[in-house]
Amino acid sequence: MVLSGGVTPGLADDFPQQVLAAVAPRTGKLVVDTSKAALAHLLASPRQPVHVLRLDQREAEQAAGHPLASVADSLAFAQELIARGVAQIVVGGAVPKARFWPPGSSGFSAVRPMSRCRARSGQGMPLPAR
């Protein structure tokens, strides 16, 4: 299951963890790409690891409390999140690079050519070319 986007006002900050508890008996796998209070709560108070956590560069640096200027910095932060039980896998993005850290690995970093988004939502945002 994928939980993506901001948490609707009125829902608890631990909503991603509530969803994980609900899906755990069936799949136990939840991919989370959220922000603001829900992300802060997930990072500060993990109950059980989400399967995949996606953070953009700004979110990762805010959570780390310092700039993540290199792949090594990002990897160390991702490994910290995995060790603390926040996520099993961490995916980070720093346009134009994408970074992926499965547990127990040195991670992956990829660079792809950029193209312009033609969709109405996110219009003008650079996206990886296919």
Side-chain angles (χ1 to χ4, degrees):
M1 176 174 279
V2 176
L3 179 63
S4 180
V7 173
T8 302
L11 292 176
D13 292 343
D14 71 342
F15 182 70
Q17 293 158 321
Q18 291 177 25
V19 172
L20 179 58
V23 302
R26 290 191 167 211
T27 71
K29 294 184 178 181
L30 179 65
V31 176
V32 176
D33 179 0
T34 193
S35 60
K36 301 179 182 167
L39 177 60
H41 190 275
L42 184 66
L43 295 171
S45 303
R47 292 184 198 148
Q48 71 182 82
V50 298
H51 185 61
V52 177
L53 176 64
R54 192 241 178 239
L55 300 163
D56 65 27
Q57 186 74 15
R58 180 185 53 79
E59 292 166 337
E61 289 178 340
Q62 285 177 345
H66 57 83
L68 302 173
S70 69
V71 172
D73 294 340
S74 295
L75 175 60
F77 180 64
Q79 289 174 330
E80 174 191 326
L81 293 178
I82 292 167
R84 286 186 26 236
V86 174
Q88 295 171 351
I89 298 169
V90 177
V91 176
V95 174
K97 294 182 179 179
R99 296 176 179 156
F100 172 69
W101 295 278
S105 82
S106 58
F108 304 91
S109 182
V111 179
R112 297 184 68 189
M114 302 304 285
S115 65
R116 298 300 276 174
C117 175
R118 290 181 178 88
R120 288 182 186 228
S121 65
Q123 192 160 3
M125 292 176 54
L127 297 174
R130 290 187 171 216

